[in-house]
Amino acid sequence: MATQRTASGGPSGDSGAKLPDPVPDRLPFGRAASVIAVILLAGALFGYDQGVISGALLGVQKAFAVGAVALEIVTSWVTLGAMFGSLGGGYVADHFGRKRALFAAAALFIIGAAVEALAPNVPILVFGRLLAGFGVGVAAVAAPLYAAELAPAAQRGRFVSSYQLAITIGIFLAYLVDQALAGPGGWRAMFAVSAVAGVLLALAVLTALESPRWLVKSGRPDDARRNLVALGAENDADARLAAIKAALRAEHETASWSDVFEPRWRTPLKIGLGLAVLQQITGINAIIYYSDNIFAAAGFTTPAAQTAATTWAIGAVNVLATFIAIAFIDRLGRRPLLIAGLIGMGLSLAAVGFAFEQSGGAVKDAGGATGVVTLVALVVFIISFAFSLGPVTWTVINEIYPGEVRGRAVAVATAVNWSAAFLVSGFFLTVVDAIGQAYTFWLFAAFCILGLFWVYVGVPETRHRSLEEIQASWGAPTARR
Ligand code: BGC
């Protein structure tokens, strides 16, 4: 089987007539910066929310004298909010536009952060977490969708990968803020700081252009044309507008939720959902969440040393390795990154499993071989995830669906991603209890191997193809089911 498969997917590689890309190859600097600002701030919200809780938990526990179950709810209900928010975000992004959806996300996030910071009791704190999570979910759908629609085809991977970069920066910043504000009452400030990203996102959205693709879909071709001109298509705005209209004509008049599950879109649906689940069942959040414990086992004895190791070895490495994806996703393509990353993730997870197996369940010999293997393997795992499944999942999910159902299909895939994240982080300890650390890491490694085979045969290359071209490939009668 050829490794250079294309989005046409069919054995003949026939994708029908070639459609021009509606977005100019080079955006004016200010426009590109505004799209990137929106995507970076939306990702930062996501990441900050993900990272902040590890440092805030201790303060919350002291302030309200609560037990483990309440803390678990405070931790995880943000994910629940995000799951529902991503479904709602798809609807808002399709009906009211990408910009309004992003503005609503920022508003929800600011209100959620304020409620969290001022919460007089745990139920109100949980309510704040749900609201902020809802905002994160809406942004998680609307921002990459917006970036994918506004990006020139040849740079789309890079644009959407900036979203992943921002998630990792958000996690890293949250770790730093947590360290800086550690102490009694600091948790309120930790939550309050997250409102800043919400305010900045709202401001960035106000100056951003609405997606021409969405404007055409909503019957506003004149506005779409104006925005195409602003995006640098002064000379050929009509041709580009025609390209968008042609793609839309090939679609249904109105799309409903059930259209997402139509047989003809089954291939992209399977790819999107498969990547969404694979990204989580290979253990990223279990490791991000429990890295303190693992570093403790690898020889970092004090809590301060563990937090510092998590901040730099996980947080900073995650940010830096994402640049590998940004550099190569449009040059090498999505498939090579996924394949290389899954191999690195699988091998490093297997190594962590062996380290735990050798030490009989816990790595006790601080500076010894097993501790070092665990530390190195963890860093290799984070690097491998950061240049592959992290950014490529969000990129592919946002480029494979036809415009007609794009918002909703992305929402379904995002909600499935959050559900898988919720399940993995919620059941990680239970699974460790049942089968032990070694087998738990080997289970994650086994999912990497399965994922590798599936990606090899089932995920097509989408690099350098316009969204319309990718969409046309699924519509072909020969499209794989
Ligand atoms: C995932 C998150 C994860 C993050 C880590 C994202 O792509 O969706 O669940 O925490 O990457 O960098």
Side-chain angles (χ1 to χ4, degrees):
M1 174 148 329
T3 43
Q4 284 294 319
R5 300 176 61 156
T6 65
S8 61
S12 64
D14 175 19
S15 61
K18 177 152 171 45
L19 294 158
D21 185 8
V23 180
D25 289 343
R26 278 190 83 80
L27 301 186
F29 179 78
R31 292 300 169 196
S34 134
V35 178
I36 298 276
V38 167
I39 190 94
L40 286 181
L41 288 163
L45 288 191
F46 180 155
Y48 189 92
D49 231 53
Q50 194 106 318
V52 72
I53 194 66
S54 66
L57 268 186
L58 199 64
V60 170
Q61 188 179 17
K62 285 200 180 129
F64 301 119
V66 287
V69 174
L71 284 183
E72 260 169 32
I73 293 176
V74 171
T75 307
S76 61
W77 278 33
V78 79
T79 317
L80 213 58
M83 203 174 82
F84 290 115
S86 49
L87 289 175
Y91 179 82
V92 178
D94 273 353
H95 272 261
F96 300 102
R98 305 344 186 186
K99 272 186 71 167
R100 288 200 188 103
L102 283 161
F103 199 77
L108 278 167
F109 194 81
I110 296 167
I111 299 170
V115 172
E116 286 172 313
L118 301 172
N121 54 40
V122 171
I124 294 190
L125 176 59
V126 170
F127 178 66
R129 298 284 291 155
L130 267 176
L131 271 185
F134 203 87
V136 168
V138 172
V141 169
L145 186 62
Y146 178 73
E149 289 189 338
L150 271 280
Q155 293 165 34
R156 197 175 49 241
R158 195 175 290 183
F159 268 61
V160 184
S161 298
S162 317
Y163 175 64
Q164 175 69 20
L165 177 69
I167 295 176
T168 62
I169 293 175
I171 296 176
F172 181 53
L173 285 179
Y175 286 161
L176 288 179
V177 170
D178 282 1
Q179 269 184 303
L181 297 175
W187 66 273
R188 290 191 186 273
M190 292 174 196
F191 286 129
V193 169
S194 59
V196 175
V199 172
L200 293 177
L201 175 62
L203 293 176
V205 171
L206 285 178
T207 64
L209 284 179
E210 182 52 274
S211 153
R213 286 177 166 104
W214 181 80
L215 288 167
V216 172
K217 195 165 82 80
S218 334
R220 291 165 57 189
D222 294 342
D223 291 334
R225 193 182 181 288
R226 200 169 313 123
N227 285 4
L228 282 169
V229 171
L231 288 169
E234 292 93 353
N235 303 324
D236 53 4
D238 290 326
R240 295 182 191 274
L241 194 60
I244 300 179
K245 284 182 178 166
L248 283 171
R249 260 198 305 278
E251 300 173 354
H252 284 255
E253 284 300 301
T254 48
S256 70
W257 281 101
S258 58
D259 289 338
V260 173
F261 302 97
E262 260 191 31
R264 68 199 174 113
W265 305 137
R266 208 156 277 163
T267 306
L269 188 70
K270 270 196 252 171
I271 293 168
L273 296 188
L275 284 172
V277 172
L278 186 65
Q279 195 201 45
Q280 296 298 329
I281 61 171
T282 42
I284 180 66
N285 285 319
I287 286 178
I288 285 197
Y289 195 72
Y290 295 101
S291 56
D292 268 14
N293 308 24
I294 302 174
F295 281 122
F300 295 77
T301 43
T302 65
Q306 290 154 20
T307 318
T310 296
T311 304
W312 298 104
I314 302 293
V317 168
N318 198 12
V319 175
L320 292 178
T322 307
F323 283 103
I324 304 175
I326 294 185
F328 291 111
I329 192 165
D330 289 321
R331 261 191 262 169
L332 298 179
R334 287 60 165 150
R335 280 171 53 85
L337 291 186
L338 276 179
I339 289 169
L342 279 163
I343 293 173
M345 287 167 67
L347 289 176
S348 52
L349 286 166
V352 176
F354 278 115
F356 275 113
E357 147 94 343
Q358 288 296 308
S359 62
V363 186
K364 294 188 193 81
D365 57 337
T370 41
V372 173
V373 169
T374 308
L375 176 67
V376 172
L378 217 60
V379 171
V380 172
F381 174 85
I382 288 291
I383 293 175
S384 307
F385 175 88
F387 74 70
S388 67
L389 263 188
V392 177
T393 297
W394 295 117
T395 302
V396 173
I397 282 177
N398 282 283
E399 59 189 8
I400 54 176
Y401 298 113
E404 157 202 15
V405 293
R406 191 172 297 136
R408 289 167 200 219
V410 168
V412 170
T414 308
V416 165
N417 180 273
W418 284 110
S419 321
F422 185 64
L423 290 179
V424 171
S425 46
F427 285 99
F428 178 69
L429 285 183
T430 317
V431 175
V432 168
D433 261 2
I435 61 174
Q437 280 111 327
Y439 282 95
T440 306
F441 283 104
W442 285 335
L443 186 65
F444 287 144
F447 285 134
C448 289
I449 295 169
L450 287 179
L452 188 61
F453 282 118
W454 173 72
V455 165
Y456 190 76
V457 297
V459 177
E461 184 55 78
T462 48
R463 173 180 71 125
H464 287 192
R465 311 192 117 218
S466 76
L467 297 181
E468 285 67 20
E469 222 179 319
I470 297 170
Q471 160 177 344
S473 71
W474 312 128
T478 52
R480 284 164 299 129
R481 290 278 132 90

